[in-house]
Amino acid sequence: MLTYIAFYKLLFTVELSVAEFLFTFRLKKRSYYPLRFAAVVIALMGVAAIPIPMNAFWSTSLVFLAMFGLSVLGLWFCYDESFANVFFCAMASYTVQHFAYELSCLFLALLEIGTSPMRGMYSNEPMDFSKFDRSTVLAATLYLMCYLMSYWLLFLLFGRKIKKDTDMKIKSMVLLGLIAAGLLADIVISSVVTYYVTDHFIGAVIAYITNMLCCVLLLGCQFNQLSTNVIQGELDFVRRLWQQEKEQYEVSRDNIDLINIKCHDMRHKIRSITENTLSAEEIAEIENSISIYDSAVKTGNAALDVILTEKSLRCHGNDISFTCVADGSLLNFMSESDIYSLFGNVMDNAIEATVKIPERDGRTIGLKIKQIGNFVSVNVKNTFDGNLELDKRGLPVTTKSDKNYHGFGIKSVSYLVEKYGGNLSVAADDGVFDLNLLFPIAQADKTE
């Protein structure tokens, strides 16, 4: 005959499976996923149907924890993800299921102004269907509503943050241990309340509320770590970009020096070769063509000169009018690699936007670097075609189709501005994009 605890174990399996599906359905699935998931649920229900004596809080806790452990292995069987990702989602699912259980117990206790009917579900007594009446239907309806409301709300708050290819590994073992210990303590306390706080209404209500708050706190810790992982991943990617840009700066500096030397020598050789065979106008035209590569930008900062010379050549190749009025010495507080990275990204973004303008005479980029009061001001204006979308931080959103691997240029600029205590602002009006950077001179002196 079906006992109350046997029925509840089956019910628990269904509740946990629904929660786990909500928190994992966006993960990368293995082949024949529907069959795999169905097989796991059936297997778990088979295990739940095994009669096990449960007469104390410790035996009850062990049984439900064992069922949870089996469900983790089942999820790993269903999803082509790392075990860390599967375990992260499973812990969140169990926490959500437990929150819903505590909420239902709270409302049922308030409804009865006494003990929650869920307490009786831990009994080894055979189920008595003769007691099935209107109050039972009301309790079951309230129980179901609590679960639906909890699952929906907690999915909106936390579950939708889980996406495919997200690294959900909790890198801090201390934090992972605290989260696991918190969930274990919550489950054990719930079992203790079930078996030993039988007639104390206020005590039971306080325990329910405390356990619910504990569940929300655990979910907050978990998903805060998830957000931290995303930010850390972006920082690591930007650091790799900085390292690559530092290496590129050294190569560009040597190449531009070599080009200047070669062009200088070539201009004299051409004049000596052609002065008796070509007219003065023809010689001037040839020298003018060569001088394009011999027109290094001079601002007073070597790193800035390299990157602006490099980008001015790119502007010339794309019929972009580039003007520069810059006192590069004001940027001496920044490292050479940071200057190369900052202005490389700024100029690349400006060129990519400007080159899309069909009319070549409408392609313009202007750069100004000057001192305004106690600040170093960097202003870049460029024309653009179309609409500009800004994110919640006021930064331009990449227009490239692959959002995952683009948009790091402006993030790199933002991180560098913050590194030197500066401020970034953008504006777009009448087809002109206006980027302003302000660095406090006091911060600049301090950085030196």
Side-chain angles (χ1 to χ4, degrees), residues 398-440:
T398 179
T399 56
K400 296 178 181 178
S401 58
D402 188 351
K403 306 293 184 182
N404 293 327
Y405 296 97
H406 295 289
F408 281 95
I410 195 65
K411 289 180 181 177
S412 177
V413 172
S414 178
Y415 291 146
L416 283 170
V417 171
E418 291 178 6
K419 176 181 177 180
Y420 289 95
N423 180 64
L424 180 154
S425 63
V426 299
D429 184 42
D430 197 22
V432 177
F433 179 74
D434 193 349
L435 171 70
N436 288 284
L437 310 178
L438 280 178
F439 297 96

Side-chain angles (χ1 to χ4, degrees), residues 3 11-12 46 109 111 149 165 198 246-247 251 269 272 302 368 378 381 391 399 411 426 437:
T3 62
L11 183 61
F12 169 80
L111 181 66
M149 182 174 61
D165 299 326
T198 55
K246 180 180 180 181
E247 296 170 359
V251 173
K269 288 181 180 179
S272 64
K368 293 182 180 179
V378 177
K381 290 184 179 180
D391 63 17
T399 56
K411 289 180 181 177
V426 299
L437 310 178

Side-chain angles (χ1 to χ4, degrees), residues 52-93:
I52 301 174
M54 298 166 61
N55 299 312
F57 78 90
W58 58 269
S59 60
T60 300
S61 301
L62 286 176
V63 167
F64 284 106
L65 286 172
M67 293 175 63
F68 166 68
L70 291 174
S71 74
V72 175
L73 297 177
L75 290 177
W76 200 20
F77 173 72
C78 294
Y79 294 97
D80 188 14
E81 296 277 352
S82 67
F83 186 79
N85 283 6
V86 170
F87 187 67
F88 181 97
C89 294
M91 277 209 307
S93 303

Side-chain angles (χ1 to χ4, degrees), residues 15-249:
E15 296 166 355
L16 183 61
S17 298
V18 172
E20 288 177 338
F21 176 78
L22 282 176
F23 278 75
T24 59
F25 74 93
R26 292 182 176 177
L27 300 183
K28 185 178 179 181
K29 302 172 181 63
R30 297 186 188 273
S31 57
Y32 306 104
Y33 166 77
L35 293 177
R36 286 174 180 265
F37 196 86
V40 168
V41 174
I42 293 172
L44 289 174
M45 294 189 74
V47 172
I50 298 174
I52 301 174
M54 298 166 61
N55 299 312
F57 78 90
W58 58 269
S59 60
T60 300
S61 301
L62 286 176
V63 167
F64 284 106
L65 286 172
M67 293 175 63
F68 166 68
L70 291 174
S71 74
V72 175
L73 297 177
L75 290 177
W76 200 20
F77 173 72
C78 294
Y79 294 97
D80 188 14
E81 296 277 352
S82 67
F83 186 79
N85 283 6
V86 170
F87 187 67
F88 181 97
C89 294
M91 277 209 307
S93 303
Y94 196 7
T95 307
V96 169
Q97 185 278 332
H98 194 68
F99 175 90
Y101 170 80
E102 297 292 342
L103 181 65
S104 65
C105 286
L106 174 63
F107 275 97
L108 288 170
L110 294 174
L111 181 66
E112 297 284 337
I113 312 298
T115 304
S116 167
M118 291 304 299
R119 300 284 188 85
M121 300 303 293
Y122 285 82
S123 170
N124 288 298
E125 296 295 324
M127 292 190 70
D128 186 359
F129 292 98
S130 64
K131 295 182 179 180
F132 191 88
D133 53 15
R134 291 181 61 183
S135 63
T136 305
V137 174
L138 178 61
T141 302
L142 183 58
Y143 183 83
L144 180 62
M145 289 177 60
C146 287
Y147 269 81
L148 292 176
M149 182 174 61
S150 299
Y151 282 22
W152 174 73
L153 179 61
L154 294 177
F155 174 77
L156 290 180
L157 290 175
F158 302 105
R160 63 179 179 176
K161 296 180 181 180
I162 296 176
K163 299 178 181 178
K164 187 185 296 185
D165 299 326
T166 300
D167 179 16
M168 288 175 275
K169 182 179 180 181
I170 299 179
K171 297 178 174 62
S172 171
M173 296 305 296
V174 174
L175 179 60
L176 177 61
L178 288 174
I179 293 173
L183 180 57
L184 176 62
D186 204 10
I187 294 167
V188 171
I189 291 172
S190 179
S191 297
V192 170
V193 171
T194 299
Y195 283 98
Y196 299 109
V197 186
T198 55
D199 300 320
H200 201 292
F201 171 68
I202 299 300
V205 168
I206 292 174
Y208 297 145
I209 295 174
T210 302
N211 284 345
M212 288 165 55
L213 292 175
C214 183
C215 288
V216 174
L217 179 61
L218 292 173
L219 287 170
C221 289
Q222 263 193 272
F223 283 87
N224 180 66
Q225 181 64 32
L226 187 63
S227 301
T228 302
N229 286 352
V230 173
I231 296 173
Q232 186 62 48
E234 290 186 356
L235 285 173
D236 291 342
F237 190 83
V238 168
R239 288 193 185 102
R240 289 196 295 271
L241 287 179
W242 286 349
Q243 182 60 36
Q244 292 173 4
E245 288 164 350
K246 180 180 180 181
E247 296 170 359
Q248 179 64 34
Y249 162 65

Side-chain angles (χ1 to χ4, degrees), residues 162-429:
I162 296 176
K163 299 178 181 178
K164 187 185 296 185
D165 299 326
T166 300
D167 179 16
M168 288 175 275
K169 182 179 180 181
I170 299 179
K171 297 178 174 62
S172 171
M173 296 305 296
V174 174
L175 179 60
L176 177 61
L178 288 174
I179 293 173
L183 180 57
L184 176 62
D186 204 10
I187 294 167
V188 171
I189 291 172
S190 179
S191 297
V192 170
V193 171
T194 299
Y195 283 98
Y196 299 109
V197 186
T198 55
D199 300 320
H200 201 292
F201 171 68
I202 299 300
V205 168
I206 292 174
Y208 297 145
I209 295 174
T210 302
N211 284 345
M212 288 165 55
L213 292 175
C214 183
C215 288
V216 174
L217 179 61
L218 292 173
L219 287 170
C221 289
Q222 263 193 272
F223 283 87
N224 180 66
Q225 181 64 32
L226 187 63
S227 301
T228 302
N229 286 352
V230 173
I231 296 173
Q232 186 62 48
E234 290 186 356
L235 285 173
D236 291 342
F237 190 83
V238 168
R239 288 193 185 102
R240 289 196 295 271
L241 287 179
W242 286 349
Q243 182 60 36
Q244 292 173 4
E245 288 164 350
K246 180 180 180 181
E247 296 170 359
Q248 179 64 34
Y249 162 65
E250 295 171 356
V251 173
S252 298
R253 180 189 57 199
D254 295 340
N255 287 343
I256 288 175
D257 289 343
L258 182 60
I259 288 173
N260 288 336
I261 293 172
K262 293 297 183 182
C263 288
H264 179 76
D265 294 342
M266 190 178 297
R267 187 166 57 246
H268 288 288
K269 288 181 180 179
I270 288 175
R271 177 169 289 278
S272 64
I273 293 173
T274 60
E275 60 184 0
N276 296 324
T277 59
L278 297 177
S279 64
E281 291 78 9
E282 291 173 324
I283 293 175
E285 182 179 352
I286 293 173
E287 288 184 341
N288 183 59
S289 299
I290 295 174
S291 66
I292 292 172
Y293 301 96
D294 193 25
S295 55
V297 178
K298 301 295 183 182
T299 66
N301 184 287
L304 185 62
D305 294 345
V306 169
I307 190 62
L308 292 185
T309 299
E310 183 180 294
K311 299 308 176 184
S312 67
L313 294 176
R314 187 179 169 192
C315 287
H316 179 81
N318 288 282
D319 295 321
I320 297 173
S321 173
F322 174 57
T323 58
C324 175
V325 180
D327 181 0
S329 64
L330 295 172
L331 300 175
N332 289 338
F333 64 90
M334 298 178 68
S335 69
E336 289 187 343
S337 59
D338 285 348
I339 291 174
Y340 187 86
S341 176
L342 177 65
F343 287 91
N345 282 303
V346 166
M347 289 298 298
D348 282 341
N349 289 339
I351 292 171
E352 287 176 10
T354 305
V355 78
K356 295 177 182 177
I357 298 176
E359 302 81 11
R360 296 180 182 272
D361 57 354
R363 301 176 182 177
T364 62
I365 298 176
L367 169 66
K368 293 182 180 179
I369 302 175
K370 60 183 179 180
Q371 181 174 341
I372 301 178
N374 294 322
F375 293 90
V376 177
S377 170
V378 177
N379 175 255
V380 181
K381 290 184 179 180
N382 66 270
T383 53
F384 70 93
D385 187 34
N387 297 320
L388 183 67
E389 181 183 354
L390 302 180
D391 63 17
K392 60 184 180 182
R393 294 177 296 176
L395 301 179
V397 176
T398 179
T399 56
K400 296 178 181 178
S401 58
D402 188 351
K403 306 293 184 182
N404 293 327
Y405 296 97
H406 295 289
F408 281 95
I410 195 65
K411 289 180 181 177
S412 177
V413 172
S414 178
Y415 291 146
L416 283 170
V417 171
E418 291 178 6
K419 176 181 177 180
Y420 289 95
N423 180 64
L424 180 154
S425 63
V426 299
D429 184 42

